[in-house]
């Protein structure tokens, strides 16, 4: 428990560690290597998390939020991200394959190059996201919210031009 401020955990190996009800502020966590690591109600604020594979974290009670973070190249394959908030984050080239993003919120996020495949996006709010490409035939998008500006990201595979 507690708050970690200005720490450099880059390239650290987190094996079997449980973080519960804590916050990481202005920390460098790039390339952290979690293994059976618990993230239970953990907030990341102004952090660098480039290349972190969250799929290697324990899924039991997994609950995170991200604000003003760099999550480029992060792995969220099969991650339980229901109700997760991503606010003002760069999430370029990240993988959300088979992740559960039900009711997740993306506020002012850059998802350029992010991969969505067999991802649950029901009731997710992507109105504040940009740069994404999501195939509605390969992902569950019922009742998800998209802005008009994001239509190109849903129709790209069809070669449709949206002005």
């Amino acid at each position: 428990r507690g708050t970690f401020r200005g720490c450099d955990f880059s390239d650290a190996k987190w094996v079997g560690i449980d973080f519960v009800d804590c916050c990481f502020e202005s920390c460098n966590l790039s390339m952290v290597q979690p293994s059976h690591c618990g993230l239970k109600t953990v907030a990341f604020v102004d952090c660098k998390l480039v290349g972190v594979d969250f799929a290697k974290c324990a899924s039991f009670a997994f609950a995170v939020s991200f604000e003003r973070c760099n999550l480029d190249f992060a792995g969220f394959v099969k991650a339980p991200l229901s109700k997760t908030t991503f606010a003002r984050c760069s999430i370029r080239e990240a993988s959300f394959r088979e992740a559960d993003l039900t009711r997740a919120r993306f506020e002012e996020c850059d998802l350029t190059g992010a991969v969505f495949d067999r991802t649950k996006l029901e009731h997710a709010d992507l109105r504040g996201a940009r740069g994404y490409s999501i195939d509605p035939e390969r992902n569950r998008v019922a009742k998800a919210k998209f802005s008009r500006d994001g239509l190109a990201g849903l129709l790209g595979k069809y070669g449709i031009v949206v002005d």
Side-chain angles (χ1 to χ4, degrees):
R1 294 183 178 221
T3 300
F4 300 90
R5 283 189 187 93
C7 300
D8 186 356
F9 293 105
S10 57
D11 295 309
K13 292 182 172 130
W14 285 356
V15 180
I17 300 170
D18 270 346
F19 293 98
V20 181
D21 296 325
C22 63
C23 180
F24 290 86
E25 292 180 7
S26 303
C27 293
N28 182 359
L29 298 116
S30 292
M31 302 305 292
V32 160
Q33 299 169 48
S35 178
H36 307 291
C37 172
L39 298 177
K40 302 168 182 174
T41 315
V42 177
F44 296 93
V45 181
D46 294 312
C47 291
K48 187 175 180 183
L49 297 130
V50 174
V52 175
D53 189 356
F54 290 93
K56 305 253 170 135
C57 292
S59 60
F60 178 73
F62 184 85
V64 292
S65 65
F66 303 95
E67 185 175 348
R68 294 183 308 274
C69 291
N70 183 339
L71 290 153
D72 295 349
F73 304 100
F76 294 101
V77 176
K78 297 182 180 179
L81 296 163
S82 181
K83 300 181 184 174
T84 298
T85 297
F86 298 86
R88 295 172 291 289
C89 295
S90 177
I91 319 172
R92 300 167 66 93
E93 307 289 333
S95 178
F96 290 101
R97 284 185 175 93
E98 298 181 52
D100 182 357
L101 286 162
T102 305
R103 298 192 189 281
R105 288 187 359 229
F106 292 87
E107 303 168 3
E108 298 179 43
C109 291
D110 183 357
L111 290 163
T112 303
V115 177
F116 295 88
D117 188 39
R118 295 183 309 275
T119 305
K120 291 180 188 176
L121 290 157
E122 288 132 338
H123 298 276
D125 190 344
L126 287 103
R127 291 177 292 183
R130 65 187 178 283
Y132 57 82
S133 179
I134 297 171
D135 182 347
E137 293 175 19
R138 294 199 50 87
N139 297 281
R140 293 168 53 183
V141 295
K143 304 210 176 176
K145 298 173 185 163
F146 300 93
S147 68
R148 291 190 204 291
D149 294 336
L151 287 178
L154 294 172
L155 302 171
K157 83 173 215 170
Y158 302 108
I160 296 171
V161 177
V162 179
D163 281 336

